[in-house]
Amino acid sequence: MAERRGNRDKAEDELPVYLARPGTADQVPRQKYGGLFCSVEGAFESKTIDFDALSVGQRGSRTPRTAKRETGQEARSPATERRSTDGAERQRETAQPEIRSGCGKEVLQNLGEEKSDRLLIKGGRIVNDDQSFHADIYMEDGLIKQIGDNLIVPGGVKTIEANGKMVIPGGIDIHTHFQMPYRGTTTVDDFSQGTKAALAGGTTMIVDHVIPEPGSSLMESYDQWRQWADEKACCDYSLHVDITHWNDSVKQEVDNLIKEKGVNSFQVYMAYKDYYQMTNSELYEVFTFLAERGGIAQVHAENGEIIAEEQARMLQMGITGPEGHVLSRPEELEAEAVFRAITIASQTNCPLYVTRVMSKSAADIISQARKKGNVVFGEPITASLGTDGTHYWSKNWAKAASFVTSPPLSPDPTTPDYLNTLLSSGDLSVTGSAHCTFSVSQKAIGKDDFTQIPEGVNGVEERMSLIWDKAVTTGKMDENMFVAVTSTNAAKILNLYPRKGRIAVGSDADLVIWDTDSIRTITAKTHNSTAEYNVFEGMELRGAPLVVICQGKIILEDGNLHVTSGVGRFIPCSAFPDFAYKRVKARKQLAVLRAVPRGMYDGPVSEFSMSRGGTPSASARTSPTKQPVRNLHQSGFSLAGNPAPCGPPTPDDIPIRPAGRRIVVPPGGRSNITSLS
Amino acid sequence: MSGYQGKKNIPRITSDRLLIKGGKIVNDDQSFCADIYMEDGVIKQIGENLIVPGGVKTIDAHGRMLMPGGIDVHTRFQMPDRGMVSADDFYQGTKAALSGGTTMIIDHVVPEPGISLISSFEQWREWADSKSCCDYSLHVDITEWHKGIQEEMEALVKDHGVNSFLVYLAYKDIFQLTDAQVYEVFSVIRDLGAIAQVHAENGDIVAEEQRRILEQGITGPEGHVLSRPEEVEAEAVNRSVTVANQTNCPLYITKVMSKSAADVIAQARKKGTVVYGEPITASLGTDGSHYWSKNWAKAAAFVTSPPLSPDPTTPDYLNSLLSCGDLQVTGSAHCPFNTAQRAVGKDDFSLIPEGVNGTEERMSIIWDKCVVTGKMDENQFVAVTSTNAAKIFNLYPRKGRIAVGSDADLVLWDPDMTKIISAKSHNSTVEYNIFEGTEVRGGPLVVISQGKIVLEEGNLHTTEGSGRYVARKPFPDYVYKRIKARSRLAELRGVPRGLYDGPVCEVSVTPKAMTPASSAKTSPAKQPNQPVRNLHQSGFSLSGAQVDDNIPRRSTQRIVAPPGGRANITSLG
């Protein structure tokens, strides 16, 4: 540790501190030209903060909420008192991060210190998705203001001594269903409870799904969700909107949501027949529209038609328990729907996002499609990464029912390991939790018929720890990849990067100090969700957040949560995220189709009936004469001399092709069986 | 041999007895040298120094290969389409087939939606019986779905010797069935012991793409292939494989035209699905670059669905998969229309009647592309042109094999013969041949159908109406052995549990009309959970009596092993 500090002192001799390349003494060309944001080859050009990109979110929602934030401060005051006593006895274990309030002279200099939300993290190792380095972070007003060594900060700043622990961007849970209405009841975790659980697990932003009832207005539902979340959310949030039916007015609403309401991702359902499910033609139209407007098409991928048939069969056979849920939704149906969605997306040149990748076969299809160059992102969820579907056969009905979600957890116990591997290799891109919990009495709606069991599992709290445990401690991925799949990739897809998902000057102060060694056992007794069951019950996970900072404020420290309902801001997402659309745009330019200019066909034309309902014609007509048609070989070539304007191979228009071209080469010469890869 | 129909009393030439000396008999499993003696259309003896009656007509094979006559599993002779009829009727079509070494065809009955399957079937029987020159059988297409169809299918299987039905995933609003209907059709087919055939293309996407491409002003035949990209074919193949797996029904994909569709089939076979792929002469012999021909009539002659792939490496790839066994049978999908008929779609490619020629060229193309190039041997050639088809459709060993008791449908094959395919010399009635100018090596020297010499020294001697309908029984072993074993295994059982006796939330019965609940309801109190906790202890009334190792096992199983120990990144195959 001492050595490291020494290095940094040297580096700082030559440079203004805030420009020093953190953690290294190398010559860095950039400082010579002085500008923090000038793009110099080899410098951090792609990582430079683009303030224009940030302005989208900050404009609308930041200022109005300051009042609320102050009330948040007051609510927190007991905790603050406790923290100062902590500060007094700060000579504890050196390995633990310490939090120090400003004291003594510093306090005198900065009387308003408590309100200004200034925070300094010293001695942490900053982990972004591209690299890790040692540096201090100074935050003010919920933004990261400085990163570097020996920062010059105002006095009286609250300081966290990270002691070399990892500081990572707060997690983004890209898929939650808090407070989701379901047949007159609501999921037990509302936005307050849900975001509290999220923060406890190191997730500082959630993206919830707005689910309009088929037939109702998207915009009204969106407003409803905004209202619920604004009242209660404890962390920043954003919204996906689900398209549950399709017509021109929905199209108009989607357009408005993208342009005015900061929604850039829309989910369609291929399951839930006669309810949410869309036909292939509708999917095609939705995808085409989203591709034009720069949205991301999300799909719930399962073949609803076959499921409906299988469900009927199961119930007929007398299988009514939760095992029927997984038996009626085999993983092939998921893979089939993923395949179909990818086909349609590739036809319409629309970026695709597959929510809830639950099975090996579905993940395989996604990775194959990515290899073929399709723009497709896969989202495994906490449950599919952490547990499997063997529990559906549990004798305890309530336990079995708590695992019910769609697509179901795969009964194949090797699935979690496989999905973690694909997540590590980059074939799957982001992780969500699909947190959508129901109490046992709610699940019991389907006690006699598994198709009635409300669907959803927990996972928002466990997500980060679980991925750390399953993927990082096992050596599948490194800490940078961990940041990418838990936070950065999600931010990029939502077009929130680099405001979220990165520790950089100008980014939001959503940070987590991660303890790689802490071990805890997941149990429903201690979790923050209201549900009675936890699908990860009894699992021992290594890795947990030590300190969680959200909007520049300390939310979790020493195992204590200090959350304030309603401080969460809506973060609008703008259309055409580069991460997805750069490739799509390039392809659009290429994909122009052209017709072949031909002379008018002037030969004879058969008579035919337009309606296909006609009866088969009599066999007397079966031998049409060849006579008139033969002329055609010579006629109809008025344009034939013109040059062919376009790419595809244009075989000669001579009626009988030059014989030389198609002549077979000697046996074994041309065709080669080894060319079959 | 119960399938013989009443038309055996055709005036027979005296030389109904036939001896082939000195040939190399090629079956799908082995080749050997022997003489063959035939009588009454059936092979009576195989061996050396046969004792045969005097006065028998003798053919000296001079060591050339003698193989079972080809079976073209997919033809559409005389097919009605919007008041037109495809240019080759059963006479012209079977004549072309015989001249290419194919001695049996299986045609598709395409009932117009709304018309009974049985009456369409009878109609086709009538056409074929009066005109066909070689034995034939019939597939029946399912173009709509309701209860009556199911009964008709039963009748067709039991009384009419049909064991294969085709469903369409394309042709939206005409023939196309929904996934749920396909599921039901497959379930019925499995129960009847038949084969489910699929025309695999996603009709919804095709319809959308057609509209888009017409809007862009592309009306020529190139629009046909642009609106039906191969992905759309692969998607539908994948979907039908999924449905077939669910219903445990054997699947047969007709017209495999693209690499990606073939890949999907090959993968499904590796996973153990009972699925067969049928590439056709056109997809094995040519490609879709001709859709861009300046000659409209020529471009239109290539129009078929799924379209020929514009990727010129496709034929080679499909031939390789055919050689390695990933694709099993070959058809021709012979359904040509003459240019005047095609011109119905001169201003709109979506109206061009679809179908290409290929029944005559099938055997020679495969020989040239696969055997001459060393991809397959002569036995595999027999398998893909004849034997596999006979096995799948339950005609084996009557057809598809040279053995005592089999039908005397034979081909004396000349591997060195070369010819140039041309519309001038082919036996079809259409003006264009999509293989125009292709030089192929290998062709039939002598073709024997029903024990009679049909092709000799380049001369065809066909008799209109001599073809018999061959009935096919359900549950072909080749296909159903595996299916039967699986259906015995696939019994699902529920978990015996105590009755759930905890509290149950109230719900409204009609979920669809629900508006989102108001936010006042958002924080359900934890109180109702109280009684539920009991559930951990209660509700186990049966648990002692059964295998209840589920629950105790769980807790120990879930503890994480030391980092790096259990999970292994190399386990990703």
Side-chain angles (χ1 to χ4, degrees):
Chain A
M1 178 99 108
E3 200 178 289
R4 185 171 56 75
R5 289 212 77 93
N7 272 346
R8 290 203 278 162
D9 288 342
K10 240 186 276 166
E12 151 242 350
D13 287 340
E14 306 155 12
L15 318 168
V17 274
Y18 55 91
L19 286 179
R21 183 175 179 180
T24 167
D26 291 350
Q27 281 294 322
V28 180
R30 188 170 64 170
Q31 316 94 6
K32 297 215 169 134
Y33 305 97
L36 179 54
F37 300 110
C38 68
S39 58
V40 174
E41 207 181 311
F44 301 107
E45 65 270 300
S46 63
K47 290 98 187 174
T48 304
I49 304 306
D50 176 6
F51 280 107
D52 288 338
L54 292 175
S55 61
V56 186
Q58 293 170 338
R59 216 186 308 129
S61 40
R62 241 168 226 220
T63 29
R65 219 167 285 285
T66 40
K68 244 181 196 169
R69 237 189 284 168
E70 275 164 34
T71 59
Q73 211 86 48
E74 280 160 23
R76 218 161 43 100
S77 56
T80 321
E81 277 171 37
R82 199 191 44 74
R83 191 180 306 132
S84 50
T85 57
D86 264 8
E89 43 171 42
R90 64 172 175 272
Q91 309 291 2
R92 291 175 305 158
E93 289 176 62
T94 41
Q96 290 303 311
E98 302 165 38
I99 299 168
R100 242 185 355 235
S101 293
C103 54
K105 200 165 65 179
E106 292 163 346
V107 176
L108 293 176
Q109 286 170 346
N110 281 282
L111 291 172
E113 178 256 330
E114 267 304 305
K115 280 174 194 158
S116 69
D117 265 335
R118 295 166 179 177
L119 202 56
L120 178 68
I121 299 179
K122 280 181 87 83
R125 192 156 59 94
I126 299 177
V127 180
N128 275 326
D129 68 322
D130 52 345
Q131 61 170 1
S132 313
F133 53 90
H134 289 278
D136 300 343
I137 306 173
Y138 172 67
M139 291 163 267
E140 199 178 311
D141 295 326
L143 290 181
I144 297 173
K145 293 287 186 190
Q146 295 178 49
I147 294 178
D149 292 335
N150 297 337
L151 301 177
I152 299 168
V153 296
V157 170
K158 197 187 300 166
T159 306
I160 301 174
E161 188 67 56
N163 285 327
K165 290 222 181 305
M166 286 170 43
V167 183
I168 60 177
I172 299 177
D173 189 337
I174 198 162
H175 187 161
T176 64
H177 291 276
F178 296 146
Q179 212 165 329
M180 187 186 83
Y182 175 79
R183 300 219 247 155
T185 69
T186 317
T187 54
V188 289
D189 287 328
D190 61 6
F191 276 98
S192 162
Q193 200 65 38
T195 51
K196 194 176 143 192
L199 287 165
T203 296
T204 55
M205 176 174 181
I206 58 120
V207 189
D208 207 76
H209 276 268
V210 174
I211 308 183
E213 288 295 314
S216 66
S217 147
L218 261 53
M219 201 59 90
E220 279 170 25
S221 306
Y222 167 85
D223 289 337
Q224 177 69 74
W225 254 261
R226 277 295 302 275
Q227 189 196 327
W228 287 336
D230 282 346
E231 273 170 19
K232 300 199 164 189
C234 313
C235 66
D236 288 352
Y237 72 97
S238 191
L239 294 172
H240 307 292
V241 175
D242 295 2
I243 300 176
T244 49
H245 59 123
W246 184 246
N247 54 36
D248 280 346
S249 77
V250 172
K251 200 171 177 178
Q252 192 54 47
E253 287 188 314
V254 170
D255 200 24
N256 286 343
L257 283 169
I258 293 178
K259 284 189 181 136
E260 292 156 23
K261 300 291 186 178
V263 175
N264 77 354
S265 43
F266 295 85
Q267 173 166 303
V268 290
Y269 291 85
M270 300 169 81
Y272 306 108
K273 192 182 179 189
D274 300 331
Y275 195 42
Y276 294 152
Q277 186 178 325
M278 295 221 168
T279 66
N280 293 336
S281 314
E282 285 170 331
L283 290 179
Y284 185 98
E285 282 170 29
V286 172
F287 285 13
T288 309
F289 186 72
L290 288 178
E292 270 169 35
R293 301 301 150 101
I296 306 274
Q298 300 188 312
V299 284
H300 175 113
E302 276 183 299
N303 189 318
E305 304 229 358
I306 304 181
I307 288 171
E309 298 278 343
E310 291 276 325
Q311 282 179 339
R313 190 167 70 94
M314 294 298 151
L315 290 174
Q316 253 174 17
M317 290 165 67
I319 298 178
T320 58
E323 68 277 13
H325 179 75
V326 64
L327 291 174
S328 63
R329 302 174 109 101
E331 66 175 76
E332 273 192 296
L333 303 190
E334 187 191 347
E336 187 280 316
V338 170
F339 196 105
R340 185 148 43 100
I342 287 172
T343 306
I344 300 176
S346 126
Q347 281 315 304
T348 53
N349 202 8
C350 177
L352 182 71
Y353 178 106
V354 179
T355 59
R356 293 200 252 204
V357 176
M358 305 297 278
S359 66
K360 286 178 168 184
S361 15
D364 278 341
I365 303 263
I366 291 173
S367 64
Q368 274 170 29
R370 287 174 68 89
K371 278 184 201 119
K372 285 188 200 148
N374 289 322
V375 182
V376 52
F377 307 103
E379 169 208 278
I381 64 169
T382 323
S384 62
L385 293 168
T387 184
D388 58 57
T390 51
H391 308 276
Y392 290 116
W393 280 267
S394 166
K395 290 269 171 138
N396 179 345
W397 187 92
K399 182 181 171 196
S402 71
F403 285 82
V404 170
T405 186
S406 284
L409 288 158
S410 165
D412 177 352
T414 60
T415 304
D417 197 43
Y418 190 81
L419 293 181
N420 277 299
T421 307
L422 288 194
L423 187 64
S424 312
S425 69
D427 281 351
L428 299 172
S429 316
V430 287
T431 53
S433 66
H435 189 91
C436 177
T437 45
F438 290 95
S439 68
V440 171
S441 63
Q442 287 172 321
K443 293 265 185 189
I445 292 167
K447 71 187 165 65
D448 303 318
D449 176 356
F450 64 86
T451 62
Q452 305 296 315
I453 301 174
E455 295 168 357
V457 291
N458 64 298
V460 70
E461 183 175 356
E462 298 80 4
R463 189 176 64 101
M464 306 271 284
S465 292
L466 196 123
I467 295 169
W468 185 270
D469 182 76
K470 299 276 178 189
V472 186
T473 58
T474 58
K476 287 180 198 241
M477 62 168 73
D478 59 18
E479 59 200 27
N480 303 99
M481 191 66 187
F482 174 74
V483 169
V485 298
T486 54
S487 175
T488 310
N489 289 349
K492 286 179 176 170
I493 289 174
L494 294 166
N495 220 357
L496 298 173
Y497 188 82
R499 177 177 173 189
K500 300 282 185 190
R502 185 167 186 87
I503 299 180
V505 175
S507 298
D508 277 3
D510 289 350
L511 302 177
V512 173
I513 299 182
W514 192 257
D515 183 356
T516 55
D517 302 320
S518 94
I519 295 177
R520 66 185 166 140
T521 306
I522 306 283
T523 165
K525 285 177 197 133
T526 57
H527 71 190
N528 283 287
S529 162
T530 353
E532 301 94 331
Y533 279 89
N534 189 311
V535 295
F536 310 103
E537 187 75 39
M539 226 183 249
E540 216 180 60
L541 297 183
R542 188 180 288 250
L546 260 186
V547 177
V548 176
I549 296 163
C550 181
Q551 301 179 358
K553 287 191 291 289
I554 299 173
I555 303 289
L556 175 84
E557 52 172 332
D558 297 332
N560 299 314
L561 266 178
H562 317 288
V563 297
T564 319
S565 279
V567 297
R569 300 161 302 184
F570 174 73
I571 311 285
C573 310
S574 52
F576 292 108
D578 271 355
F579 191 56
Y581 266 90
K582 264 187 185 156
R583 285 181 287 167
V584 169
K585 279 178 190 163
R587 287 173 200 190
K588 263 183 199 157
Q589 282 153 9
L590 276 182
V592 181
L593 303 175
R594 279 193 215 88
V596 175
R598 289 191 185 87
M600 288 293 292
Y601 173 85
D602 50 5
V605 179
S606 271
E607 282 176 25
F608 73 110
S609 54
M610 274 303 283
S611 69
R612 284 198 83 133
T615 51
S617 72
S619 54
R621 294 193 55 192
T622 48
S623 282
T625 163
K626 284 182 173 182
Q627 234 34 47
V629 181
R630 278 288 177 200
N631 297 336
L632 207 82
H633 282 302
Q634 282 79 40
S635 73
F637 283 122
S638 59
L639 281 174
N642 291 0
C646 57
T650 316
D652 311 14
D653 38 359
I654 309 159
I656 290 175
R657 197 184 303 109
R661 178 187 288 220
R662 303 289 293 283
I663 296 295
V664 141
V665 291
R670 180 201 39 176
S671 312
N672 190 351
I673 201 159
T674 59
S675 69
L676 169 63
S677 54
Chain B
M1 304 305 133
S2 58
Y4 280 47
Q5 301 299 309
K7 286 198 328 293
K8 275 183 68 182
N9 305 327
I10 323 148
R12 288 184 187 281
I13 321 161
T14 42
S15 65
D16 206 17
R17 297 166 175 178
L18 203 57
L19 177 68
I20 302 177
K21 283 180 83 83
K24 183 164 84 155
I25 298 176
V26 181
N27 274 326
D28 69 321
D29 51 350
Q30 59 170 355
S31 313
F32 55 94
C33 290
D35 302 343
I36 302 180
Y37 172 66
M38 290 161 270
E39 201 179 311
D40 294 329
V42 176
I43 297 174
K44 293 288 186 189
Q45 296 178 51
I46 295 178
E48 283 171 46
N49 302 327
L50 300 177
I51 300 164
V52 296
V56 169
K57 178 162 185 186
T58 306
I59 300 172
D60 199 330
H62 296 297
R64 290 218 177 78
M65 282 183 277
L66 196 56
M67 45 180 74
I71 300 175
D72 187 341
V73 285
H74 188 159
T75 64
R76 288 166 187 272
F77 298 145
Q78 214 166 325
M79 189 187 82
D81 181 8
R82 288 169 292 173
M84 304 178 292
V85 175
S86 67
D88 287 333
D89 62 6
F90 276 96
Y91 173 64
Q92 282 296 341
T94 51
K95 199 174 131 190
L98 285 168
S99 72
T102 295
T103 55
M104 177 174 184
I105 56 120
I106 310 183
D107 206 78
H108 276 269
V109 175
V110 191
E112 292 289 320
I115 290 183
S116 127
L117 296 188
I118 296 205
S119 64
S120 307
F121 173 80
E122 309 257 310
Q123 175 72 75
W124 255 260
R125 278 295 305 275
E126 192 190 318
W127 288 337
D129 280 344
S130 60
K131 299 202 165 191
S132 175
C133 312
C134 67
D135 288 353
Y136 72 96
S137 193
L138 294 171
H139 308 291
V140 176
D141 298 0
I142 310 287
T143 49
E144 60 182 335
W145 184 241
H146 50 75
K147 257 283 178 275
I149 300 274
Q150 184 178 340
E151 286 157 18
E152 287 193 307
M153 284 167 71
E154 267 183 65
L156 284 169
V157 170
K158 291 194 176 126
D159 310 329
H160 294 90
V162 173
N163 72 1
S164 47
F165 298 91
L166 174 78
V167 295
Y168 292 88
L169 298 179
Y171 305 111
K172 195 180 179 189
D173 301 331
I174 304 170
F175 294 154
Q176 186 176 332
L177 300 186
T178 67
D179 291 355
Q181 288 170 329
V182 171
Y183 182 97
E184 284 169 26
V185 175
F186 282 16
S187 304
V188 170
I189 287 178
R190 180 213 44 221
D191 292 343
L192 293 174
I195 319 280
Q197 299 187 309
V198 167
H199 176 113
E201 277 182 299
N202 187 319
D204 290 331
I205 304 183
V206 169
E208 297 278 347
E209 290 280 324
Q210 281 181 339
R211 201 170 40 74
R212 184 171 71 93
I213 284 175
L214 286 172
E215 264 170 21
Q216 291 183 12
I218 300 178
T219 58
E222 69 275 15
H224 179 74
V225 62
L226 292 175
S227 65
R228 300 176 110 98
E230 65 176 76
E231 274 187 299
V232 168
E233 187 192 348
E235 188 281 316
V237 171
N238 184 58
R239 185 148 41 101
S240 45
V241 166
T242 307
V243 179
N245 262 348
Q246 282 317 302
T247 51
N248 195 21
C249 175
L251 182 68
Y252 178 105
I253 309 286
T254 60
K255 299 204 237 191
V256 175
M257 304 298 279
S258 67
K259 287 178 170 184
S260 12
D263 280 341
V264 172
I265 294 173
Q267 275 170 27
R269 287 180 65 84
K270 276 182 201 122
K271 287 186 199 148
T273 309
V274 182
V275 57
Y276 305 98
E278 167 207 281
I280 64 169
T281 321
S283 62
L284 294 170
T286 183
D287 61 57
S289 50
H290 307 278
Y291 291 116
W292 280 268
S293 165
K294 287 271 172 113
N295 179 344
W296 186 92
K298 181 181 167 194
F302 285 82
V303 169
T304 187
S305 284
L308 287 158
S309 166
D311 177 352
T313 61
T314 303
D316 199 42
Y317 190 80
L318 293 182
N319 280 306
S320 297
L321 287 195
L322 187 64
S323 309
C324 75
D326 279 352
L327 301 171
Q328 296 75 34
V329 285
T330 51
S332 65
H334 188 90
C335 183
F337 288 90
N338 61 37
T339 304
Q341 291 173 320
R342 302 264 190 198
V344 160
K346 70 187 164 64
D347 303 318
D348 178 353
F349 64 85
S350 64
L351 297 177
I352 300 175
E354 295 168 357
V356 290
N357 64 298
T359 192
E360 183 174 354
E361 298 82 4
R362 189 177 65 102
M363 305 271 283
S364 291
I365 293 258
I366 296 170
W367 185 270
D368 182 73
K369 301 272 179 190
C370 294
V371 185
V372 171
T373 58
K375 286 183 199 240
M376 60 168 74
D377 58 20
E378 59 206 29
N379 303 99
Q380 175 74 358
F381 175 74
V382 169
V384 300
T385 55
S386 175
T387 311
N388 288 350
K391 285 178 177 170
I392 290 173
F393 295 110
N394 223 357
L395 299 164
Y396 190 81
R398 177 180 170 187
K399 301 282 185 191
R401 184 167 188 87
I402 298 181
V404 175
S406 298
D407 278 4
D409 289 352
L410 303 176
V411 174
L412 189 61
W413 191 260
D414 183 356
D416 302 320
M417 174 197 285
T418 56
K419 69 172 172 185
I420 294 175
I421 297 174
S422 165
K424 285 180 193 133
S425 56
H426 71 189
N427 283 288
S428 166
T429 45
V430 291
E431 305 89 338
Y432 278 89
N433 188 312
I434 58 168
F435 308 104
E436 189 72 44
T438 307
E439 187 179 304
V440 289
R441 188 180 288 244
L445 263 186
V446 176
V447 176
I448 297 163
S449 171
Q450 301 178 6
K452 286 192 292 290
I453 298 173
V454 178
L455 177 83
E456 200 180 10
E457 288 163 5
N459 300 315
L460 268 177
H461 314 287
T462 54
T463 320
E464 194 165 344
S466 63
R468 300 163 300 186
Y469 174 72
V470 182
R472 296 173 291 143
K473 293 203 183 70
F475 294 108
D477 267 358
Y478 186 63
V479 175
Y480 266 87
K481 268 186 186 156
R482 283 184 287 167
I483 297 285
K484 281 176 187 164
R486 287 175 199 189
S487 54
R488 278 195 295 271
L489 271 183
E491 269 177 41
L492 301 172
R493 280 188 215 89
V495 175
R497 288 191 184 89
L499 276 175
Y500 174 83
D501 50 4
V504 179
C505 247
E506 279 178 27
V507 285
S508 51
V509 194
T510 52
K512 291 190 185 184
M514 277 299 306
T515 50
S518 71
S519 55
K521 293 191 63 182
T522 48
S523 282
K526 270 196 158 183
Q527 280 85 329
N529 303 344
Q530 224 48 39
V532 180
R533 280 287 177 203
N534 297 338
L535 206 81
H536 282 302
Q537 281 79 38
S538 77
F540 282 2
S541 60
L542 283 173
S543 63
Q546 309 284 323
V547 271
D548 73 340
D549 42 359
N550 276 351
I551 296 159
R553 181 167 56 93
R554 261 318 97 63
S555 54
T556 50
Q557 192 186 37
R558 304 293 291 288
I559 295 297
V560 142
R566 177 203 40 175
N568 189 350
I569 201 158
T570 59
S571 71
L572 169 62

